[in-house]
Amino acid sequence: MPERPDYASFIAGHTAVINMINSGASGVTALNHLLEVVQTALGALGVSFAEYGPSRGRVIAACGASSWALGRAVDHADPSVARLLSGPATNDVPVSTLPAELAQQFAARGIRRMLGARVEAGGLALGSLHAYFADDETSGSEAHALLGYVAVSVAHLYGDQSGLPVHGDGPVVAALADGLAIVDSQGYVRLWNPAAERITGRTAVQALNRPLPFPSPPTGRVIDHRLPDGRWMKIAAGDLPGRSYSRVVTFRDVSDQHQLNHDWDLFLAVTSHELRTPVTVIKGYADTLTGHWDALEDEDRREAARAIGQRSTDLARLVDRLLATTGGLGPIGGATPAPFDLVEALRAAVTGLPGDLRRRITLALPDDLPKALGDRAAVATVLTELATNAGKYAEGDSPVELTAEADEQTVAFRVSDRGIGVRPEHVERAFDRFWQGESGDHRRYPGAGLGLFLVRRIVERQNGWASIRPRPGGGAIVEVRLPRG
């Protein structure tokens, strides 16, 4: 790495990111640009950012030589992560000290050291920044200071709730999102924190020394309250004995939860429809065969049998998806990992796709791809979900491209389409259960939002990971990486 950071490029790049944010860009979009600025300023091979949840984290942004790690889960028990969470705010970590599999991944890309910085707010770790280098030298104090400054900048992005956090669960979100008011014995507000201003749209000047602008529940009770603008708050309160003021009231915006409840109802309706359709077709053809067998021509019987078989396959696939998303993976993804020929498995999976979709698939699969380590049978499920998704969002006869590659430690395949694409701020939400890019009653595309959720669960059970990103020129690319066999 250079002796000193390139401050001129950093200031120019950081200014550009700020202008992006002021112009409305936020979340992962701004974060990715910020990582590129850091990479240039530090002369790093790559930079990544992992967001932490209650039990583990995930790489949600990456550039340069670390782009391969996008979507990869991060274990809190990993020594390097634990050291960063509990030790100094920044530290150098030799790649050789990492777990063997991860160390090999880095070494294969010429990375020998990483400089990490903890991103935190209010004493809570939100995530960590990592810059990667080809040398063994310890980073100078200026590099530590610059990465630490960027970590503070990222924490501000979270504090502003501008498209971050990507994952809406865990104590970090609660700590950042909760409004807090302290109310005296007369019911007047004596303290009104910044989160309260953001949630209610009422400034501290407007709130202090006035009655609480919404109901306060009895101690130990929690109530939902709808604001005039249609948003929902969940409100709790507790007594503060022995103080001049008497109550602390906390509240948070739970509009997303209410939307989730709506989406759940919609999911049930859509799933009921998807179940009813194949069942109706199967019953119709079965009744026809039973009641009119002698009157039917052989070709008519064969056509009925084919329809019953196809619809039975559709029904079995839908049931498997439901089992996989409502607790455990059922019959999918539970086999003991073993080496297998990924190219052969992909080609076989393509032959099982519906004819209209199969005709749109273009293959660019190398003959010498190394074997993958995992569950060969699960590849068909994963590819079917990805290809179906691609075909659904890329209307007409536009091609769906299937490619594969390998590096020193992983084997990967990609499904690319030329459809509506994915927004940068949605590259992680796309893997949430029941989530879809379009919501509400005006969606153009059918489905219950289970496909990518199922893909990620299956792949991660095989010690791999899955990610999605926009495709240059329009569309989306979903990448699945598995360990080499």
Side-chain angles (χ1 to χ4, degrees), residues 177-180 199 214-217 221-227 231-237 249-258 261:
D178 279 5
L180 182 144
I199 292 171
F214 45 76
S216 175
R221 294 273 303 277
V222 177
I223 63 172
D224 287 346
H225 174 74
R226 191 173 190 180
L227 296 173
R231 291 179 299 125
W232 286 88
M233 289 195 312
K234 188 172 290 293
I235 307 170
V249 181
T250 60
F251 45 95
R252 70 176 61 175
D253 188 331
V254 292
S255 302
D256 286 347
Q257 182 61 49
H258 278 263
N261 292 339

Side-chain angles (χ1 to χ4, degrees), residues 38-52:
V38 175
Q39 179 181 348
T40 300
L42 292 180
L45 296 179
V47 182
S48 67
F49 175 74
E51 179 181 277
Y52 295 153

Side-chain angles (χ1 to χ4, degrees), residues 27-248:
V28 176
T29 303
L31 189 57
N32 273 318
H33 282 277
L34 186 57
L35 297 192
E36 292 170 359
V37 170
V38 175
Q39 179 181 348
T40 300
L42 292 180
L45 296 179
V47 182
S48 67
F49 175 74
E51 179 181 277
Y52 295 153
S55 59
R56 66 175 182 172
R58 190 178 296 280
V59 178
I60 66 168
C63 64
S66 59
S67 297
W68 62 275
L70 187 66
R72 193 180 196 278
V74 177
D75 188 354
H76 284 186
D78 184 297
S80 64
V81 176
R83 184 161 60 248
L84 187 60
L85 290 176
S86 59
T90 62
N91 60 43
D92 278 288
V93 179
V95 164
S96 59
T97 65
L98 299 175
E101 180 269 336
L102 187 57
Q104 291 171 358
Q105 294 271 11
F106 284 132
R109 293 168 174 82
I111 297 171
R112 302 179 67 177
R113 175 177 59 86
M114 67 180 181
L115 174 61
R118 184 168 64 246
V119 176
E120 61 183 350
L124 292 170
L126 312 179
S128 59
L129 280 167
H130 300 274
Y132 305 94
F133 302 95
D135 58 66
D136 290 323
E137 299 177 7
T138 302
S139 299
S141 59
E142 294 184 28
H144 280 257
L146 187 144
L147 197 64
Y149 169 78
V150 174
V152 172
S153 300
V154 175
H156 279 296
L157 289 177
Y158 276 81
D160 292 340
Q161 296 279 282
S162 302
L164 295 171
V166 168
H167 299 100
D169 63 350
V172 171
V173 179
L176 292 173
D178 279 5
L180 182 144
I182 293 179
V183 183
D184 66 17
S185 58
Q186 303 302 313
Y188 287 86
V189 175
R190 298 305 182 193
L191 184 147
W192 191 254
N193 77 340
E197 294 183 332
R198 291 195 300 270
I199 292 171
T200 64
R202 185 181 294 250
T203 67
V205 173
Q206 295 170 323
L208 292 174
N209 302 314
R210 291 179 172 84
L212 199 65
F214 45 76
S216 175
T219 298
R221 294 273 303 277
V222 177
I223 63 172
D224 287 346
H225 174 74
R226 191 173 190 180
L227 296 173
D229 62 7
R231 291 179 299 125
W232 286 88
M233 289 195 312
K234 188 172 290 293
I235 307 170
D239 293 329
L240 291 172
R243 308 295 295 269
S244 58
Y245 33 78
S246 62
R247 311 199 79 208
V248 58

Side-chain angles (χ1 to χ4, degrees), residues 13 45 60 127 213 251 263 274 277-278 295 306 322 336 353 432 481 483:
L45 296 179
I60 66 168
F251 45 95
D263 291 346
E274 291 192 12
T277 299
R306 279 194 296 267
L322 294 176
T336 301
L353 296 174
D432 288 351
R481 284 190 175 271

